[in-house]
Amino acid sequence: QVQLVESGGGLVQAGGSLRLSCAASGRTFSNYAMGWFRQAPGKEREFVAAISRRGGITDYADSVRGRFTISRVNAKNTVHLQMNSLKPEDTAVYYCAAKPVPGVVTTAEYDYWGQGTQVSVSS
């Protein structure tokens, strides 16, 4: 079992920045590929960003590429999502997820999920 707890969400004006964090516990964190997803009201959960077990490979949704950066610190069992130039359409609940595989996973086929953290961007 892996437990994931997200933090760092909040309300920000358009053009602003937020940094989300996801703290993992329970198993060897460096064995897990990690991802961030988001779900807006009335919409399906969508992929945002993913990072490989040691951080050497990352991938992003086209809608956030160039604005968001995913990173991880295996020594601290954490993964981060730095979000810059935020837009109202980035408003959603953001979830981190974990899967014990190499490479990156850009679909929702993760084994473990956090409870989510709300990000709201005002215009």
Side-chain angles (χ1 to χ4, degrees):
Q1 282 283 0
V2 174
Q3 292 78 43
L4 303 172
V5 179
E6 301 94 337
S7 62
L11 174 63
V12 65
Q13 289 188 331
S17 299
L18 282 174
R19 187 187 192 218
L20 305 184
S21 297
C22 174
S25 62
R27 292 290 179 94
T28 304
F29 182 66
S30 60
N31 287 343
Y32 289 80
M34 300 296 296
W36 284 97
F37 288 74
R38 66 187 182 187
Q39 188 167 18
K43 296 187 177 181
E44 294 186 354
R45 190 171 298 188
E46 65 174 0
F47 167 73
V48 175
I51 190 166
S52 59
R53 293 183 296 188
R54 284 163 176 74
I57 304 170
T58 59
D59 200 3
Y60 298 90
D62 289 342
S63 59
V64 307
R65 195 183 306 273
R67 300 189 297 122
F68 291 11
T69 302
I70 188 171
S71 61
R72 64 190 295 162
V73 182
N74 284 348
K76 296 186 176 181
N77 291 358
T78 58
V79 61
H80 302 288
L81 185 68
Q82 178 67 43
M83 305 186 297
N84 298 329
S85 302
L86 283 161
K87 304 175 181 180
E89 51 263 44
D90 294 318
T91 295
V93 177
Y94 283 71
Y95 301 88
C96 71
K99 188 175 181 69
V101 295
V104 293
V105 180
T106 61
T107 63
E109 297 175 350
Y110 281 80
D111 296 327
Y112 303 100
W113 294 83
Q115 293 299 305
T117 185
Q118 176 71 47
V119 171
S120 300
V121 184
S122 63
S123 57

